[in-house]
Amino acid sequence: RADLDAAIKINPRFEQAYINRGNLNTIQNNFNEAIKDYSAAISINPEHPIVYSNRGALYHQIGKLDQALADYNAALSIDPKLETALFNKNLISNPL
């Protein structure tokens, strides 16, 4: 984590560092921090569908379904065949 923090401090527009730190925060169940990291990555590159899908999954996990659905839709507007976004969107739209 310290290496990612240092990389971001050196270059605050280093998208991949935010994505990697978001992934690490997700693994460590720091969902709010991961959401912040993915949001930072999206602000740098709003055309990265997997980051929207990842953030959507976190919103889904914490029960913010409207925000999750918006992120899944954003991911699918960039890549209509992104399977994780399609699957997770379906879970919200058609609950079991």
Side-chain angles (χ1 to χ4, degrees):
R1 164 133 186 151
D3 290 342
L4 294 169
D5 293 342
I8 290 168
K9 187 173 183 177
I10 291 167
N11 180 1
R13 298 207 38 87
F14 188 9
E15 173 195 6
Q16 193 61 50
Y18 287 105
I19 294 169
N20 290 348
R21 193 170 70 178
N23 293 341
L24 179 61
N25 278 319
T26 299
I27 291 166
Q28 296 175 339
N29 292 321
N30 297 324
F31 296 149
N32 289 325
E33 292 302 311
I35 288 169
K36 289 177 190 175
D37 286 328
Y38 292 142
S39 296
I42 288 167
S43 73
I44 295 166
N45 178 9
E47 298 299 317
H48 200 298
I50 293 172
V51 181
Y52 283 104
S53 184
N54 288 354
R55 188 176 71 176
L58 292 172
Y59 281 134
H60 197 161
Q61 181 76 20
I62 64 175
K64 294 185 176 184
L65 300 185
D66 289 341
Q67 289 155 296
L69 194 56
D71 274 352
Y72 297 144
N73 285 331
L76 292 168
S77 72
I78 300 164
D79 181 356
K81 296 180 181 179
L82 185 62
E83 291 180 7
T84 55
L86 286 166
F87 179 81
N88 288 332
K89 179 182 176 182
N90 191 52
L91 288 177
I92 293 173
S93 301
N94 302 299
L96 298 175

